[in-house]
Structure formats: structure tokens, C-alpha cells
Coordinates of all heavy atoms in Angstrom, one line a residue:
M504 N 0.8 -1.2 0.0 CA 0.0 0.0 0.0 C 0.9 1.3 0.0 O 0.5 2.2 -0.6 CB -0.9 0.0 1.2 CG -2.0 -1.1 1.1 SD -3.5 -0.8 1.9 CE -3.4 -0.7 3.5
A505 N 2.0 1.2 0.7 CA 2.9 2.4 0.7 C 3.4 2.6 -0.7 O 3.6 3.8 -1.1 CB 4.0 2.1 1.7
A506 N 3.6 1.6 -1.4 CA 4.2 1.8 -2.8 C 3.1 2.5 -3.7 O 3.5 3.2 -4.6 CB 4.5 0.4 -3.4
L507 N 1.9 2.3 -3.4 CA 0.8 2.9 -4.2 C 0.5 4.3 -3.7 O -0.2 5.1 -4.3 CB -0.5 2.1 -4.1 CG -0.4 0.7 -4.7 CD1 -1.7 -0.1 -4.4 CD2 0.0 0.7 -6.2
G508 N 1.1 4.7 -2.5 CA 0.9 6.1 -2.0 C -0.4 6.3 -1.2 O -0.7 7.4 -0.9
F509 N -1.1 5.2 -0.9 CA -2.3 5.4 -0.1 C -2.0 5.5 1.4 O -2.8 6.1 2.1 CB -3.2 4.1 -0.3 CG -3.7 4.0 -1.7 CD1 -3.4 2.9 -2.4 CD2 -4.5 5.0 -2.3 CE1 -3.9 2.7 -3.7 CE2 -5.0 4.9 -3.5 CZ -4.7 3.7 -4.3
V510 N -0.9 5.0 1.9 CA -0.6 5.0 3.3 C 0.7 5.7 3.5 O 1.7 5.3 2.8 CB -0.6 3.6 3.9 CG1 -0.3 3.6 5.4 CG2 -1.9 2.9 3.7
R511 N 0.8 6.6 4.5 CA 2.1 7.2 4.8 C 3.0 6.3 5.6 O 2.5 5.4 6.2 CB 1.8 8.5 5.6 CG 1.1 9.6 4.8 CD 0.9 10.8 5.5 NE 0.5 10.5 6.9 CZ 0.0 11.4 7.8 NH1 -0.1 12.6 7.4 NH2 -0.4 11.0 9.0
R512 N 4.3 6.6 5.5 CA 5.2 5.7 6.2 C 5.0 5.7 7.7 O 5.1 4.7 8.3 CB 6.6 6.2 5.8 CG 7.7 5.3 6.4 CD 9.1 5.6 5.8 NE 10.1 4.7 6.2 CZ 10.2 3.5 5.7 NH1 9.4 3.0 4.7 NH2 11.2 2.7 6.1
D513 N 4.8 6.9 8.3 CA 4.6 6.9 9.7 C 3.3 6.2 10.1 O 3.2 5.6 11.2 CB 4.6 8.4 10.3 CG 3.5 9.2 9.6 OD1 3.1 8.9 8.5 OD2 3.1 10.2 10.2
D514 N 2.3 6.2 9.2 CA 1.1 5.4 9.5 C 1.4 3.9 9.5 O 0.9 3.1 10.4 CB 0.0 5.7 8.5 CG -0.6 7.1 8.7 OD1 -0.5 7.6 9.8 OD2 -1.2 7.6 7.7
L515 N 2.3 3.5 8.6 CA 2.7 2.1 8.5 C 3.4 1.7 9.8 O 3.2 0.6 10.4 CB 3.5 1.8 7.3 CG 2.8 1.6 6.0 CD1 3.8 1.4 4.9 CD2 1.9 0.4 6.0
E516 N 4.3 2.5 10.2 CA 5.1 2.3 11.5 C 4.1 2.2 12.7 O 4.3 1.3 13.5 CB 6.1 3.3 11.7 CG 7.3 3.2 10.7 CD 8.2 4.4 10.8 OE1 8.0 5.3 11.6 OE2 9.2 4.4 10.0
R517 N 3.1 3.1 12.7 CA 2.2 3.0 13.8 C 1.4 1.7 13.8 O 1.1 1.1 14.8 CB 1.3 4.2 13.7 CG 0.2 4.3 14.9 CD -0.6 5.6 14.8 NE -1.2 5.8 13.5 CZ -2.3 5.2 13.1 NH1 -3.0 4.4 13.8 NH2 -2.8 5.5 11.9
I518 N 1.0 1.3 12.6 CA 0.2 0.1 12.4 C 1.1 -1.1 12.8 O 0.6 -2.0 13.5 CB -0.3 -0.1 11.0 CG1 -1.4 1.0 10.7 CG2 -0.8 -1.5 10.7 CD1 -1.8 1.1 9.3
E519 N 2.3 -1.1 12.4 CA 3.2 -2.2 12.8 C 3.4 -2.3 14.3 O 3.4 -3.4 14.9 CB 4.6 -2.0 12.1 CG 4.6 -2.4 10.6 CD 5.9 -2.1 10.0 OE1 6.8 -1.6 10.7 OE2 6.1 -2.4 8.8
R520 N 3.5 -1.1 14.9 CA 3.6 -1.1 16.4 C 2.4 -1.7 17.1 O 2.5 -2.5 18.0 CB 3.9 0.3 16.9 CG 5.4 0.7 16.8 CD 5.7 2.0 17.6 NE 4.7 3.1 17.3 CZ 4.9 4.0 16.4 NH1 5.9 3.9 15.6 NH2 4.0 5.0 16.2
R521 N 1.2 -1.4 16.5 CA 0.0 -1.9 17.1 C -0.1 -3.4 16.9 O -0.6 -4.1 17.7 CB -1.2 -1.2 16.5 CG -1.3 0.3 16.9 CD -2.6 0.9 16.7 NE -3.7 0.0 17.3 CZ -4.8 0.5 17.8 NH1 -4.9 1.8 17.9 NH2 -5.7 -0.3 18.3
L522 N 0.3 -3.9 15.7 CA 0.3 -5.3 15.4 C 1.2 -6.0 16.4 O 0.9 -7.1 16.9 CB 0.6 -5.6 14.0 CG -0.4 -5.2 13.0 CD1 0.1 -5.5 11.5 CD2 -1.7 -6.0 13.2
D523 N 2.4 -5.4 16.6 CA 3.3 -6.0 17.6 C 2.7 -6.0 19.0 O 2.9 -7.0 19.7 CB 4.6 -5.2 17.7 CG 5.5 -5.4 16.4 OD1 5.2 -6.3 15.7 OD2 6.4 -4.5 16.2
T524 N 1.9 -5.0 19.3 CA 1.2 -5.0 20.6 C 0.2 -6.1 20.7 O 0.1 -6.8 21.7 CB 0.5 -3.6 20.8 OG1 1.5 -2.6 20.7 CG2 -0.2 -3.6 22.2
F525 N -0.5 -6.3 19.6 CA -1.5 -7.4 19.6 C -0.8 -8.8 19.8 O -1.2 -9.7 20.5 CB -2.3 -7.4 18.3 CG -3.3 -6.3 18.3 CD1 -3.5 -5.5 17.1 CD2 -4.1 -6.0 19.4 CE1 -4.4 -4.5 17.1 CE2 -5.0 -5.0 19.3 CZ -5.1 -4.2 18.2
A526 N 0.3 -8.9 19.1 CA 1.1 -10.2 19.2 C 1.6 -10.3 20.6 O 1.6 -11.4 21.2 CB 2.3 -10.2 18.2
T527 N 2.1 -9.2 21.2 CA 2.6 -9.3 22.6 C 1.4 -9.6 23.5 O 1.6 -10.4 24.5 CB 3.2 -7.9 23.0 OG1 4.2 -7.6 22.0 CG2 3.8 -8.0 24.3
R528 N 0.3 -9.1 23.3 CA -0.9 -9.4 24.2 C -1.2 -10.9 24.1 O -1.5 -11.5 25.1 CB -2.1 -8.5 23.8 CG -2.0 -7.1 24.2 CD -3.2 -6.3 23.9 NE -3.0 -4.9 24.2 CZ -3.8 -4.0 23.8 NH1 -4.9 -4.3 23.0 NH2 -3.6 -2.7 24.1
A529 N -1.2 -11.4 22.9 CA -1.5 -12.8 22.7 C -0.4 -13.7 23.4 O -0.8 -14.7 24.1 CB -1.6 -13.2 21.2
D530 N 0.8 -13.2 23.3 CA 1.9 -14.0 24.0 C 1.7 -13.9 25.5 O 1.9 -14.9 26.2 CB 3.3 -13.4 23.6 CG 3.6 -13.7 22.2 OD1 3.0 -14.6 21.5 OD2 4.5 -13.0 21.6
L531 N 1.3 -12.7 26.0 CA 1.1 -12.5 27.4 C -0.1 -13.4 27.9 O 0.0 -14.0 28.9 CB 0.8 -11.1 27.7 CG 2.1 -10.1 27.7 CD1 1.6 -8.7 27.9 CD2 3.1 -10.6 28.7
Q532 N -1.1 -13.4 27.1 CA -2.3 -14.3 27.4 C -1.9 -15.7 27.5 O -2.3 -16.5 28.4 CB -3.4 -14.0 26.5 CG -4.1 -12.7 26.7 CD -5.2 -12.4 25.7 OE1 -5.3 -13.1 24.7 NE2 -6.0 -11.4 25.9
A533 N -1.1 -16.2 26.5 CA -0.7 -17.6 26.5 C 0.2 -17.9 27.7 O 0.1 -18.9 28.4 CB 0.1 -17.9 25.2
T534 N 1.1 -16.9 28.0 CA 2.0 -17.1 29.2 C 1.2 -17.1 30.4 O 1.4 -17.9 31.3 CB 3.1 -16.0 29.2 OG1 3.8 -16.0 28.0 CG2 4.0 -16.1 30.4
E535 N 0.2 -16.2 30.5 CA -0.6 -16.2 31.7 C -1.4 -17.5 31.9 O -1.5 -18.0 33.0 CB -1.6 -15.0 31.6 CG -2.6 -14.9 32.8 CD -3.6 -13.8 32.6 OE1 -3.8 -13.3 31.4 OE2 -4.3 -13.5 33.5
Q536 N -1.9 -18.1 30.8 CA -2.6 -19.4 30.9 C -1.7 -20.5 31.3 O -2.0 -21.3 32.2 CB -3.2 -19.7 29.5 CG -4.0 -20.9 29.5 CD -5.2 -20.8 30.3 OE1 -5.8 -19.8 30.4 NE2 -5.6 -21.9 31.0
R537 N -0.4 -20.5 30.8 CA 0.5 -21.5 31.2 C 0.9 -21.4 32.7 O 1.0 -22.3 33.4 CB 1.8 -21.4 30.4 CG 1.7 -22.0 29.0 CD 3.0 -22.2 28.3 NE 3.9 -21.0 28.3 CZ 3.9 -20.1 27.4 NH1 3.1 -20.2 26.4 NH2 4.7 -19.0 27.5
L538 N 1.0 -20.1 33.2 CA 1.4 -19.9 34.6 C 0.2 -20.3 35.5 O 0.4 -20.9 36.5 CB 1.7 -18.4 34.8 CG 3.1 -18.0 34.3 CD1 3.2 -16.5 34.4 CD2 4.2 -18.7 35.0
E539 N -1.0 -20.0 35.0 CA -2.2 -20.4 35.8 C -2.3 -21.9 35.9 O -2.6 -22.5 37.0 CB -3.5 -19.9 35.2 CG -3.7 -18.4 35.4 CD -4.9 -17.8 34.8 OE1 -5.6 -18.6 34.0 OE2 -5.2 -16.6 34.9
T540 N -2.0 -22.6 34.8 CA -2.0 -24.1 34.8 C -0.9 -24.6 35.8 O -1.2 -25.5 36.6 CB -1.7 -24.6 33.4 OG1 -2.7 -24.1 32.5 CG2 -1.7 -26.1 33.4
R541 N 0.3 -24.0 35.8 CA 1.3 -24.4 36.7 C 1.0 -24.1 38.1 O 1.2 -25.0 39.0 CB 2.6 -23.7 36.4 CG 3.4 -24.2 35.2 CD 4.7 -23.5 35.1 NE 5.4 -23.9 33.9 CZ 6.5 -23.3 33.5 NH1 7.1 -22.3 34.2 NH2 7.1 -23.7 32.4
I542 N 0.4 -23.0 38.4 CA 0.0 -22.6 39.7 C -1.1 -23.6 40.3 O -1.0 -24.1 41.4 CB -0.6 -21.2 39.8 CG1 0.6 -20.2 39.6 CG2 -1.3 -20.9 41.1 CD1 0.2 -18.8 39.4
D543 N -2.1 -23.9 39.4 CA -3.1 -24.9 39.8 C -2.5 -26.3 40.1 O -2.9 -26.9 41.1 CB -4.2 -25.0 38.7 CG -5.0 -23.8 38.5 OD1 -5.0 -22.9 39.5 OD2 -5.7 -23.6 37.5
A544 N -1.5 -26.7 39.3 CA -0.9 -28.0 39.5 C -0.1 -28.0 40.8 O -0.2 -28.9 41.6 CB 0.0 -28.4 38.4
T545 N 0.6 -26.9 41.1 CA 1.4 -26.7 42.3 C 0.5 -26.7 43.5 O 0.8 -27.3 44.5 CB 2.3 -25.5 42.2 OG1 3.1 -25.5 41.1 CG2 3.1 -25.3 43.5
A546 N -0.6 -26.0 43.4 CA -1.6 -25.9 44.5 C -2.2 -27.3 44.8 O -2.3 -27.7 46.0 CB -2.7 -24.9 44.2
A547 N -2.5 -28.1 43.8 CA -3.0 -29.4 44.0 C -2.0 -30.3 44.7 O -2.3 -31.1 45.6 CB -3.4 -30.0 42.7
K548 N -0.7 -30.2 44.2 CA 0.3 -31.0 44.9 C 0.5 -30.6 46.3 O 0.7 -31.4 47.2 CB 1.7 -30.8 44.1 CG 1.7 -31.5 42.8 CD 3.1 -31.2 42.1 CE 3.1 -31.8 40.7 NZ 4.4 -31.5 40.1
T549 N 0.5 -29.3 46.6 CA 0.7 -28.8 47.9 C -0.5 -29.2 48.8 O -0.3 -29.6 50.0 CB 0.8 -27.2 47.9 OG1 1.9 -26.9 47.1 CG2 1.0 -26.7 49.3
E550 N -1.7 -29.2 48.3 CA -2.8 -29.6 49.1 C -2.7 -31.1 49.4 O -3.0 -31.5 50.6 CB -4.1 -29.3 48.3 CG -5.4 -29.6 49.1 CD -6.6 -29.3 48.3 OE1 -6.5 -28.6 47.3 OE2 -7.7 -29.7 48.8
A551 N -2.3 -31.9 48.5 CA -2.2 -33.3 48.8 C -1.1 -33.6 49.8 O -1.2 -34.4 50.7 CB -1.9 -34.1 47.5
S552 N 0.0 -32.8 49.7 CA 1.1 -32.9 50.7 C 0.6 -32.5 52.1 O 0.9 -33.2 53.1 CB 2.3 -32.1 50.2 OG 3.3 -32.1 51.2
V553 N -0.1 -31.5 52.2 CA -0.6 -31.0 53.5 C -1.6 -32.0 54.0 O -1.6 -32.3 55.2 CB -1.3 -29.6 53.3 CG1 -2.1 -29.3 54.6 CG2 -0.3 -28.6 53.1
Q554 N -2.4 -32.6 53.2 CA -3.4 -33.7 53.7 C -2.6 -34.9 54.2 O -3.0 -35.4 55.3 CB -4.3 -34.1 52.6 CG -5.4 -33.0 52.3 CD -6.3 -33.4 51.1 OE1 -6.0 -34.4 50.4 NE2 -7.3 -32.6 50.9
R555 N -1.6 -35.3 53.5 CA -0.8 -36.4 54.0 C -0.1 -36.1 55.3 O 0.0 -36.9 56.2 CB 0.3 -36.8 53.0 CG -0.3 -37.6 51.8 CD 0.9 -38.2 50.9 NE 1.8 -37.2 50.5 CZ 1.7 -36.6 49.3 NH1 0.7 -36.8 48.5 NH2 2.6 -35.7 49.0
W556 N 0.4 -34.8 55.4 CA 1.0 -34.4 56.7 C 0.0 -34.4 57.8 O 0.3 -34.8 58.9 CB 1.6 -33.0 56.5 CG 2.2 -32.4 57.7 CD1 3.5 -32.7 58.1 CD2 1.7 -31.5 58.6 NE1 3.7 -32.0 59.3 CE2 2.6 -31.2 59.6 CE3 0.4 -30.9 58.7 CZ2 2.4 -30.4 60.6 CZ3 0.2 -30.0 59.7 CH2 1.2 -29.8 60.7
M557 N -1.2 -33.9 57.5 CA -2.2 -33.9 58.6 C -2.6 -35.3 59.0 O -2.8 -35.5 60.2 CB -3.5 -33.1 58.1 CG -3.2 -31.6 58.0 SD -4.6 -30.8 57.2 CE -6.0 -31.2 58.2
V558 N -2.7 -36.3 58.1 CA -3.0 -37.6 58.5 C -1.8 -38.2 59.4 O -2.1 -38.9 60.4 CB -3.2 -38.5 57.2 CG1 -3.2 -40.0 57.6 CG2 -4.5 -38.1 56.6
G559 N -0.6 -37.9 59.0 CA 0.5 -38.3 59.8 C 0.5 -37.8 61.2 O 0.8 -38.5 62.2
V560 N 0.2 -36.5 61.3 CA 0.1 -35.9 62.6 C -1.0 -36.5 63.4 O -0.9 -36.7 64.7 CB -0.1 -34.3 62.5 CG1 -0.5 -33.7 63.8 CG2 1.1 -33.7 61.9
A561 N -2.2 -36.8 62.8 CA -3.3 -37.4 63.5 C -2.9 -38.8 64.0 O -3.2 -39.1 65.2 CB -4.5 -37.4 62.6
V562 N -2.2 -39.5 63.2 CA -1.8 -40.9 63.6 C -0.8 -40.8 64.8 O -0.9 -41.6 65.7 CB -1.2 -41.7 62.4 CG1 -0.5 -42.9 62.9 CG2 -2.3 -42.0 61.4
A563 N 0.1 -39.9 64.7 CA 1.1 -39.7 65.7 C 0.4 -39.3 67.0 O 0.8 -39.7 68.1 CB 2.2 -38.7 65.3
L564 N -0.6 -38.4 66.9 CA -1.3 -37.9 68.1 C -2.1 -39.1 68.8 O -2.0 -39.2 70.0 CB -2.3 -36.8 67.7 CG -3.0 -36.1 68.8 CD1 -2.1 -35.5 69.8 CD2 -4.0 -35.1 68.3
V565 N -2.7 -39.9 68.0 CA -3.4 -41.1 68.5 C -2.4 -42.0 69.2 O -2.7 -42.5 70.3 CB -4.2 -41.8 67.4 CG1 -4.7 -43.1 67.9 CG2 -5.4 -40.9 67.0
A566 N -1.2 -42.2 68.6 CA -0.2 -43.1 69.2 C 0.3 -42.5 70.5 O 0.5 -43.3 71.5 CB 0.9 -43.2 68.2
V567 N 0.5 -41.2 70.6 CA 0.9 -40.6 71.9 C -0.2 -40.7 72.9 O 0.1 -41.0 74.1 CB 1.3 -39.1 71.6 CG1 1.4 -38.3 72.9 CG2 2.5 -39.0 70.8
I568 N -1.4 -40.5 72.5 CA -2.5 -40.6 73.5 C -2.6 -42.0 74.0 O -2.8 -42.3 75.2 CB -3.9 -40.1 72.9 CG1 -3.8 -38.6 72.7 CG2 -5.0 -40.6 73.7 CD1 -5.0 -38.1 71.9
I569 N -2.5 -43.0 73.1 CA -2.6 -44.4 73.6 C -1.4 -44.7 74.5 O -1.5 -45.4 75.5 CB -2.6 -45.4 72.4 CG1 -4.0 -45.2 71.7 CG2 -2.3 -46.8 72.8 CD1 -4.1 -46.0 70.3
A570 N -0.2 -44.2 74.1 CA 1.0 -44.5 74.9 C 0.9 -43.9 76.3 O 1.3 -44.4 77.3 CB 2.2 -43.9 74.2
L571 N 0.3 -42.7 76.4 CA 0.2 -42.0 77.7 C -1.0 -42.5 78.5 O -0.8 -42.7 79.7 CB 0.0 -40.5 77.5 CG 1.2 -39.7 76.9 CD1 0.8 -38.3 76.7 CD2 2.3 -39.8 77.9
Y572 N -2.1 -42.8 77.9 CA -3.3 -43.2 78.7 C -3.6 -44.6 78.6 O -4.5 -45.1 79.3 CB -4.5 -42.4 78.2 CG -4.4 -40.9 78.5 CD1 -4.1 -40.0 77.5 CD2 -4.5 -40.5 79.8 CE1 -4.0 -38.6 77.8 CE2 -4.4 -39.1 80.1 CZ -4.1 -38.2 79.1 OH -4.0 -36.9 79.4
G573 N -2.9 -45.4 77.8 CA -3.1 -46.8 77.7 C -3.0 -47.6 79.0 O -3.9 -48.3 79.4
P574 N -1.8 -47.4 79.7 CA -1.7 -48.1 81.0 C -2.8 -47.7 82.0 O -3.3 -48.5 82.7 CB -0.3 -47.6 81.5 CG 0.4 -47.2 80.3 CD -0.6 -46.7 79.4
M575 N -3.2 -46.4 82.0 CA -4.3 -46.0 82.9 C -5.6 -46.6 82.5 O -6.4 -47.0 83.4 CB -4.4 -44.4 82.9 CG -5.4 -43.9 83.9 SD -5.4 -42.1 84.0 CE -5.9 -41.7 82.4
L576 N -5.8 -46.7 81.2 CA -7.0 -47.4 80.8 C -7.0 -48.8 81.1 O -8.1 -49.4 81.5 CB -7.2 -47.2 79.2 CG -8.4 -47.7 78.6 CD1 -9.6 -47.0 79.2 CD2 -8.4 -47.5 77.1
A577 N -5.9 -49.5 81.0 CA -5.8 -50.9 81.4 C -6.1 -51.1 82.8 O -6.8 -52.0 83.2 CB -4.4 -51.4 81.0
V578 N -5.6 -50.2 83.7 CA -5.9 -50.3 85.1 C -7.3 -50.1 85.4 O -8.0 -50.8 86.2 CB -5.0 -49.3 85.9 CG1 -5.4 -49.2 87.4 CG2 -3.5 -49.7 85.8
L579 N -7.9 -49.1 84.8 CA -9.3 -48.8 84.9 C -10.2 -50.0 84.5 O -11.2 -50.3 85.2 CB -9.7 -47.6 84.1 CG -11.1 -47.1 84.2 CD1 -11.5 -46.7 85.6 CD2 -11.4 -46.0 83.2
L580 N -9.8 -50.6 83.4 CA -10.6 -51.8 82.9 C -10.4 -53.0 83.9 O -11.4 -53.7 84.2 CB -10.1 -52.2 81.5 CG -10.5 -51.3 80.4 CD1 -9.9 -51.8 79.1 CD2 -12.0 -51.3 80.3
Q581 N -9.3 -53.1 84.5 CA -9.1 -54.2 85.5 C -10.0 -53.9 86.7 O -10.6 -54.8 87.3 CB -7.6 -54.3 85.9 CG -6.8 -54.9 84.9 CD -5.3 -55.0 85.3 OE1 -4.9 -54.4 86.3 NE2 -4.5 -55.6 84.4
I582 N -10.0 -52.6 87.2 CA -10.8 -52.3 88.3 C -12.3 -52.5 88.0 O -13.0 -53.1 88.8 CB -10.6 -50.8 88.7 CG1 -9.2 -50.6 89.3 CG2 -11.6 -50.3 89.7 CD1 -8.8 -49.2 89.5
L583 N -12.7 -52.1 86.8 CA -14.1 -52.4 86.4 C -14.4 -53.8 86.3 O -15.6 -54.3 86.7 CB -14.4 -51.7 85.1 CG -14.5 -50.1 85.1 CD1 -14.6 -49.6 83.7 CD2 -15.6 -49.7 86.0
A584 N -13.5 -54.6 85.9 CA -13.7 -56.1 85.8 C -13.9 -56.7 87.2 O -14.6 -57.7 87.3 CB -12.6 -56.7 85.1
R585 N -13.3 -56.2 88.2 CA -13.4 -56.7 89.6 C -14.6 -56.3 90.3 O -14.9 -56.9 91.4 CB -12.1 -56.3 90.4 CG -10.9 -56.9 89.9 CD -9.7 -56.5 90.8 NE -8.5 -57.1 90.2 CZ -7.3 -56.7 90.6 NH1 -7.1 -55.8 91.5 NH2 -6.2 -57.2 90.0
L586 N -15.3 -55.3 89.8 CA -16.5 -54.8 90.5 C -17.6 -55.8 90.4 O -17.7 -56.5 89.4 CB -16.9 -53.5 89.9 CG -16.1 -52.2 90.2 CD1 -16.7 -51.1 89.4 CD2 -16.0 -51.9 91.6
P587 N -18.3 -56.0 91.5 CA -19.4 -56.9 91.5 C -20.5 -56.4 90.5 O -20.8 -55.2 90.5 CB -19.9 -57.0 92.9 CG -19.4 -55.8 93.6 CD -18.2 -55.3 92.8
R588 N -21.2 -57.3 89.9 CA -22.2 -56.9 89.0 C -23.6 -56.9 89.6 O -24.1 -57.3 90.4 CB -22.3 -57.8 87.8 CG -21.0 -57.7 87.1 CD -21.0 -58.5 85.8 NE -19.6 -58.5 85.3 CZ -19.4 -58.8 84.1 NH1 -20.3 -59.2 83.3 NH2 -18.1 -58.7 83.6

């Protein structure tokens, strides 16, 4: 079009810059989508890891409670077994 004289050179440069902007926007949108996908995957992994950690803590807590109160519970059961019915 510039060769035909319909478009000035500065107009062509302005149009090229705008096209570059559109390409950059598309690149940014694609990058944003990839980052969101990575963030979602990382969040899912982290959530699964936290859930496993919480189960481990719960099991350890139950083990500690049994270790601390187990003997007392055994004595209590023995006392209850000796009581007349």
C-alpha cells in the first residue's frame, strides 16, 4: 500500500507497532494461561502434601494418647472387671 501512495510511512510504522502490541498481548495471554496451569498444579500438589502431613500428625497424636493413657485405661478396665455386678 505504501508503494501505491495510499498510506504514509509513519502510519505504517504506527500500524506495525499496534500489530506488535497485539502479538505481545496474545503472547502474554498464552504465558498467563501456562502460569495459571502451573499454579493450579502446584496448589493441587501442595494440598495433597498437606493432607498427607495432617494424616501423619493425627496418627502420631493417637499413638501418643494411647502411649500416655493406655496403662491408665488398662488399670481402669481391671478395676471395672473386679467390681461386682
Side-chain angles (χ1 to χ4, degrees):
M504 291 209 296
L507 297 175
F509 294 119
V510 179
R511 296 183 311 194
R512 183 166 188 83
D513 58 336
D514 288 340
L515 279 177
E516 290 171 359
R517 183 177 52 81
I518 291 169
E519 286 176 356
R520 281 194 307 273
R521 290 198 54 146
L522 288 175
D523 288 343
T524 302
F525 289 134
T527 303
R528 285 185 187 163
D530 292 342
L531 285 174
Q532 288 174 347
T534 302
E535 180 184 14
Q536 184 64 34
R537 284 193 307 271
L538 287 175
E539 286 177 357
T540 302
R541 282 186 186 172
I542 289 169
D543 291 343
T545 303
K548 288 179 186 177
T549 303
E550 184 177 348
S552 176
V553 168
Q554 287 176 351
R555 284 192 304 271
W556 178 81
M557 289 173 55
V558 167
V560 168
V562 168
L564 184 59
V565 168
V567 167
I568 290 171
I569 289 172
L571 291 175
Y572 293 107
M575 185 173 61
L576 184 60
V578 170
L579 181 64
L580 288 175
Q581 287 176 355
I582 292 170
L583 289 175
R585 291 183 186 166
L586 289 177
R588 296 184 186 198

